[in-house]
Amino acid sequence: MIKLAPSILSADFGKLRETVEILNESPADVLHVDVMDGRFVPNISFGFPVLEVLARHSKKPLDVHLMIEEPEKFAERFIKSGASWLSFHLEACAHTHRLLEAVQGWGARPGLAINPQTGLDGMEYLVDCLGFVNVMTVNPGFGGQKFIQAMFHKIKALDELRKKTGSHFEIEIDGGVNMGNAVALKEAGADILVAGNALFSEPQLSEGVLKFKHLLV
């Protein structure tokens, strides 16, 4: 079944604990946490203290997406702070294979994020140490952006690469996901959908999660 990952970046930060408690009782699968440094992307979001609080209260695994420069300097600490899944950007790391193996060694599920303009060249050399690939379907840094339709081709190509290599990594879609494109993303090969504004704009968060999950059965 397709996994749903609500993006905490779209939550009301004044009600963060309440939001986590609602999601704990929902059929959401993981909580997506975007970490931005103001350098790799033009925005700043969460750091270690907030992640530690989320980890204390969440019953769901934390899917931490590092949108930062030099992720190798901070990855281990994010895992120690509560990340169960950890993805970093191909564009930000010089020694990708090494860091993927290190993330797994530190006890987290290793993921690789790729920006919209980044192709799949060389990805076949990384499949042996990938837990998931985070396909950015908007330009990273801000929530509420429109899904880039050309990314359907990339998702399908990544699914074909997975089949060709006999790999078992999951395909995560991050950016512009909503109830209008969720089924098409599933059919293209997606395994995990990150939902932000489309989910948190629902009058009742718990009902929004249920509606999303119903679409993905």
Side-chain angles (χ1 to χ4, degrees):
M1 183 180 292
I2 304 297
K3 297 181 177 71
L4 180 64
S7 176
I8 293 297
L9 187 65
S10 296
D12 180 343
F13 293 172
K15 299 179 180 179
L16 206 51
R17 179 172 178 176
E18 178 183 335
T19 297
V20 171
E21 289 173 349
I22 291 170
L23 292 172
N24 281 341
E25 303 307 317
S26 80
D29 298 283
V30 296
L31 301 190
H32 189 80
V33 184
D34 287 310
V35 175
M36 308 180 200
D37 64 357
R39 294 175 61 210
F40 183 72
V41 292
N43 200 3
I44 296 174
S45 62
F46 306 105
F48 303 113
V50 173
L51 183 61
E52 289 165 1
V53 170
L54 291 172
R56 282 202 300 271
H57 296 290
S58 178
K59 296 178 182 177
K60 312 285 184 178
L62 298 184
D63 167 23
V64 177
H65 173 197
L66 299 183
M67 288 182 268
I68 65 174
E69 296 284 356
E70 300 179 302
E72 64 276 7
K73 290 186 176 181
F74 303 100
E76 184 177 12
R77 186 172 171 190
F78 275 107
I79 293 168
K80 288 180 177 178
S81 295
S84 298
W85 301 15
L86 190 81
S87 62
F88 59 91
H89 273 261
L90 175 65
E91 304 86 359
C93 186
H95 301 287
T96 305
H97 194 282
R98 179 186 298 167
L99 185 53
L100 286 168
E101 289 190 324
V103 168
Q104 186 170 29
W106 291 324
R109 189 179 189 203
L112 188 63
I114 50 175
N115 282 339
Q117 79 279 4
T118 300
L120 303 180
D121 293 346
M123 191 70 73
E124 66 269 26
Y125 302 113
L126 300 171
V127 294
D128 63 319
C129 53
L130 279 173
F132 64 106
V133 176
N134 180 348
V135 179
M136 293 300 302
T137 45
V138 299
N139 291 299
F142 298 93
Q145 298 183 68
K146 186 178 179 180
F147 182 92
I148 300 172
Q149 292 296 317
M151 294 302 101
F152 273 109
H153 299 295
K154 183 186 287 188
I155 297 163
K156 291 175 182 178
L158 191 57
D159 186 42
E160 286 300 315
L161 174 64
R162 178 170 58 181
K163 293 172 181 175
K164 177 183 175 181
T165 58
S167 305
H168 302 289
F169 63 83
E170 291 188 296
I171 300 173
E172 179 176 65
I173 309 304
D174 188 357
V177 173
N178 56 51
M179 295 187 198
N181 60 22
V183 173
L185 290 168
K186 173 184 176 181
E187 292 172 349
D191 304 289
I192 309 155
L193 299 184
V194 177
N197 282 11
L199 184 58
F200 285 90
S201 63
E202 289 287 310
Q204 296 293 329
L205 177 58
S206 57
E207 292 180 9
V209 173
L210 286 171
K211 287 165 65 175
F212 244 107
K213 289 292 285 188
H214 179 72
L215 282 173
L216 302 174
V217 173

